[in-house]
């Protein structure tokens, strides 16, 4: 059983006396059901209903009254001993019968049973629900494993991670042994990715045998889901857009360009396909900013963006087999003009809850790989393979009084040089905690 960050979230949810029914969302194969089943051990009674495997349970919702639903569940399962106040009901594969969410209002008012709905974002369409339970539901989006969860899977404890955080907070270089160890572990994570079944298999065998085949099999299910759940859009178009992402990242500027999709391809026609893939949890969209001013969302350019995969597994799966073998064998991560490193950083930051943007000036002479907002501070982030010149970042810091410092993510050690903080990729999962606990905002 892999330790996941959602574990503590679920326990806090259970202990909230005014908890609302919970929806756990996220793309397939990231461990939602497994984590909920493990959490269910905290209850005397656990009822799991899978709408894909057990479609007969759709009939229990002729009424959306919580007591009536539980009564009908017990009639279908007379051996189950339902305990008021100590029963968890899981409605799994909720996208197969999203109308079940209408019952959440009654379950919230009833407060006798804890309820979780789980499903991929694929196919969940609130417009098809009889009555959306506004104010009577809580939602959390689960992701694939981040590097910290990978370290847990490899046996590393919180004490080690807290020690790493202390080095980062104090901007103190890691001991060489630590940096080499973490870089090697990070290299493993880049190849294994964050899909729990793959991580579990790798950690138990400590080799890559059959791992790539498993990754490919899981990625194939994502394509199958697109064919199954896309309803209001042209499925072939959605697949075409999805398959084009790796070619877009292979370009020098990584910008998503509709002209690459064929003559006459237009933003208005194809952006709904992009949005659907994002809602499915498979990608992140990073918009360009017309200016570096708060609020960043007011300055984004709607039709100018880059697309990154939400897990490196998807990136690797889209490579030609020979390219993937070369990347693994030679650790050639600097492919596609740094797009793989950018994808890594995008994934790490997104999993910490940051809203991401990038910046490219109108004359294309100044560029920032990522821009985030922390409280009222704009933080530019540059992605470099190794420590080196940062012309754009230096220029921005010297000519914008509202930006006090910048982050450079590399394979190099922690370092402070004027207004630029260098942080190794392997510590990027700690950035949010660094901003929360360091005095960096008071030092400038």
């Amino acid at each position: 059983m892999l330790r996941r960050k959602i574990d503590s979230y679920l326990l806090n949810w259970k202990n909230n006396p005014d908890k609302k029914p919970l929806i756990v969302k996220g793309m397939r194969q990231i461990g939602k059901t497994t984590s909920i089943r493990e959490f269910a051990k905290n209850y005397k009674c656990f009822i799991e209903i899978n709408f894909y495997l057990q479609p007969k349970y759709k009939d229990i919702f002729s009424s959306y009254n919580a007591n009536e639903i539980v009564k009908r569940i017990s009639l279908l399962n007379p051996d189950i001993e339902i305990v008021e106040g100590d029963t968890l009901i899981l409605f799994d594969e909720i996208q197969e019968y999203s109308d079940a969410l209408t019952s959440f209002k009654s379950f919230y008012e009833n407060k006798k049973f804890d309820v979780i709905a789980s499903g991929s974002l694929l196919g969940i369409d609130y417009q098809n629900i009889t009555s959306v339970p506004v104010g009577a539901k809580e939602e959390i989006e689960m992701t694939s494993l981040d590097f910290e969860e990978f370290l847990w899977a490899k046996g590393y404890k919180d004490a080690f991670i807290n020690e790493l955080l202390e080095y980062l907070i104090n901007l103190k270089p890691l001991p060489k042994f630590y940096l080499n160890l973490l870089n090697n572990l990070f290299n493993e994570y880049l190849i294994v990715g964050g899909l729990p079944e793959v991580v579990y298999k790798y950690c138990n065998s400590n080799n890559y045998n059959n791992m790539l085949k498993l990754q490919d099999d899981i990625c194939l299910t994502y394509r199958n889901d697109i064919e199954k759940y896309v309803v209001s859009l042209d499925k072939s178009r959605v697949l075409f857009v999805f398959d084009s992402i790796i070619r877009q990242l292979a370009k020098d500027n990584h910008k998503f360009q509709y002209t690459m999709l064929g003559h006459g391809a237009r933003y208005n026609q194809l952006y709904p396909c992009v949005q659907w893939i994002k809602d499915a949890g498979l990608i992140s969209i990073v918009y360009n900013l017309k200016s570096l001013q708060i609020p960043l969302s007011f300055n984004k350019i709607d039709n100018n963006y880059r697309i990154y995969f939400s897990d490196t597994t998807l990136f690797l799966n889209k490579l030609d087999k020979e390219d993937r073998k070369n990347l693994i064998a030679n650790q050639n991560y600097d492919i596609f003009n740094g797009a793989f490193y950018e994808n890594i950083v995008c994934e790490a930051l997104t999993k910490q809850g940051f809203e991401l943007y990038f910046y490219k000036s109108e004359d294309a002479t100044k560029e920032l790989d990522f821009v985030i907002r922390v409280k009222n501070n704009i933080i530019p982030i540059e992605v470099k393979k190794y420590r080196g010149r940062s012309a754009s970042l230096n220029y921005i810091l010297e000519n914008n009084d509202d930006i006090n410092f910048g982050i450079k993510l590399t394979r190099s050690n922690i370092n402070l040089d004027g207004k630029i903080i260098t942080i190794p990729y392997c510590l990027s999962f700690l950035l949010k905690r660094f901003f929360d606990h360091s005095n960096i905002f008071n030092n400038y």
Side-chain angles (χ1 to χ4, degrees):
M1 178 65 194
L2 297 173
R3 178 186 173 190
R4 303 299 305 276
K5 291 186 175 180
I6 198 174
D7 298 343
S8 57
Y9 180 95
L10 291 173
L11 285 173
N12 290 334
W13 174 79
K14 182 182 188 299
N15 294 328
N16 180 2
D18 192 37
K19 73 176 74 62
K20 299 176 181 179
L22 178 64
I23 300 174
V24 180
K25 303 186 297 185
M27 68 181 191
R28 287 197 185 279
Q29 305 289 342
I30 56 169
K32 299 185 296 296
T33 303
T34 300
S35 292
I36 295 168
R37 285 173 179 163
E38 186 68 17
F39 163 67
K41 294 177 181 178
N42 294 285
Y43 292 82
K44 290 182 179 178
C45 177
F46 174 51
I47 300 169
E48 179 179 345
I49 295 172
N50 184 306
F51 287 118
Y52 179 74
L53 299 176
Q54 302 164 297
K56 66 180 182 180
Y57 281 97
K58 296 177 183 180
D59 293 337
I60 68 176
F61 293 95
S62 57
S63 165
Y64 295 109
N65 179 273
N67 287 328
E68 187 64 28
I69 290 169
V70 173
K71 178 181 178 181
R72 293 177 182 183
I73 292 174
S74 66
L75 290 174
L76 290 173
N77 303 273
D79 294 334
I80 293 178
E81 184 178 348
I82 298 175
V83 182
E84 289 189 8
D86 209 353
T87 292
L88 175 65
I89 303 172
L90 168 61
F91 296 128
D92 203 4
E93 299 292 355
I94 191 65
Q95 72 279 356
E96 296 288 337
Y97 190 65
S98 56
D99 212 31
L101 297 176
T102 303
S103 67
F104 274 21
K105 182 177 181 181
S106 179
F107 274 109
Y108 176 51
E109 294 171 348
N110 183 283
K111 296 188 183 301
K112 295 178 182 177
F113 313 98
D114 291 354
V115 178
I116 296 178
S118 175
S120 64
L121 295 181
L122 301 168
I124 292 182
D125 186 353
Y126 285 116
Q127 294 179 357
N128 292 331
I129 302 174
T130 300
S131 177
V132 178
V134 177
K137 62 180 174 62
E138 183 176 338
E139 297 185 10
I140 180 174
E141 185 165 350
M142 190 175 177
T143 67
S144 58
L145 279 79
D146 67 6
F147 185 51
E148 182 173 17
E149 290 172 306
F150 182 79
L151 290 175
W152 292 342
K154 295 284 287 185
Y156 293 91
K157 309 301 182 185
D158 288 340
F160 176 62
I161 293 169
N162 290 336
E163 185 180 359
L164 299 177
L165 179 60
E166 283 300 311
Y167 279 104
L168 185 56
I169 287 174
N170 294 304
L171 297 178
K172 181 180 177 182
L174 294 169
K176 185 177 181 180
F177 173 80
Y178 278 34
L179 183 62
N180 291 338
L181 172 69
L182 286 166
N183 277 335
N184 288 333
L185 288 166
F186 196 66
N187 287 345
E188 294 178 27
Y189 174 67
L190 297 185
I191 302 303
V192 176
L195 300 179
E197 185 179 358
V198 180
V199 172
Y200 184 81
K201 179 183 284 289
Y202 174 75
C203 289
N204 280 277
S205 64
N206 212 35
N207 65 64
Y208 298 126
N209 291 340
N210 300 320
M211 190 198 70
L212 297 179
K213 174 66 166 58
L214 179 57
Q215 288 178 328
D216 290 344
D217 289 345
I218 293 173
C219 288
L220 181 60
T221 67
Y222 297 141
R223 291 184 61 83
N224 293 339
D225 280 340
I226 291 175
E227 294 179 349
K228 178 178 180 180
Y229 289 111
V230 171
V231 177
S232 58
L233 300 171
D234 185 325
K235 296 178 183 182
S236 62
R237 271 188 182 176
V238 178
L239 285 170
F240 188 54
V241 170
F242 184 54
D243 290 336
S244 78
I245 294 171
I246 195 69
R247 291 188 289 114
Q248 305 274 359
L249 288 173
K251 305 195 314 294
D252 287 345
N253 62 7
H254 311 322
K255 177 184 174 183
F256 193 89
Q257 294 177 312
Y258 290 94
T259 53
M260 287 189 65
L261 301 179
H263 179 71
R266 300 180 186 279
Y267 168 83
N268 291 337
Q269 292 176 326
L270 294 174
Y271 184 77
C273 299
V274 173
Q275 187 62 48
W276 193 96
I277 300 168
K278 179 182 184 298
D279 290 342
L282 300 175
I283 60 171
S284 295
I285 303 175
V286 180
Y287 291 93
N288 191 12
L289 295 169
K290 59 186 176 184
S291 65
L292 294 169
Q293 294 178 320
I294 291 176
L296 297 178
S297 60
F298 285 14
N299 290 292
K300 74 175 185 178
I301 305 172
D302 290 333
N303 62 351
N304 188 335
Y305 54 84
R306 296 170 177 172
I307 295 177
Y308 298 99
F309 293 104
S310 58
D311 189 277
T312 57
T313 302
L314 290 160
F315 192 110
L316 294 175
N317 174 258
K318 294 295 182 182
L319 296 178
D320 292 337
K321 289 185 178 180
E322 291 304 315
D323 288 337
R324 184 161 60 167
K325 288 179 181 178
N326 176 53
L327 184 145
I328 294 171
N330 301 315
Q331 298 185 0
N332 180 27
Y333 306 123
D334 196 26
I335 60 173
F336 296 163
N337 302 296
F340 188 59
Y341 280 116
E342 290 178 23
N343 204 104
I344 293 162
V345 171
C346 178
E347 181 182 347
L349 295 175
T350 300
K351 287 177 176 178
Q352 293 172 75
F354 290 111
E355 189 73 30
L356 302 184
Y357 303 89
F358 76 97
Y359 174 72
K360 192 164 189 174
S361 59
E362 290 186 14
D363 61 4
T365 59
K366 306 296 182 293
E367 181 175 355
L368 299 171
D369 296 311
F370 296 103
V371 180
I372 61 174
R373 175 178 177 175
V374 180
K375 299 179 181 178
N376 289 321
N377 300 277
I378 296 174
I379 314 294
I381 298 175
E382 188 169 69
V383 178
K384 289 277 190 181
K385 183 177 181 180
Y386 298 109
R387 186 182 301 163
R389 292 185 70 252
S390 304
S392 291
L393 183 56
N394 279 313
Y395 180 88
I396 295 295
L397 292 173
E398 290 171 3
N399 292 277
N400 193 318
D401 293 336
D402 296 327
I403 301 178
N404 297 316
F405 66 91
I407 302 289
K408 184 192 296 184
L409 293 172
T410 75
R411 283 191 170 272
S412 303
N413 213 330
I414 299 170
N415 181 65
L416 175 61
D417 183 7
K419 294 183 176 182
I420 298 179
I421 303 168
T422 299
I423 298 173
Y425 291 119
C426 56
L427 296 187
S428 56
F429 74 94
L430 290 171
L431 271 176
K432 187 176 187 304
R433 274 169 275 183
F434 168 69
F435 293 134
D436 288 342
H437 299 293
S438 74
N439 292 319
I440 190 66
F441 296 114
N442 299 324
N443 295 338
Y444 289 95

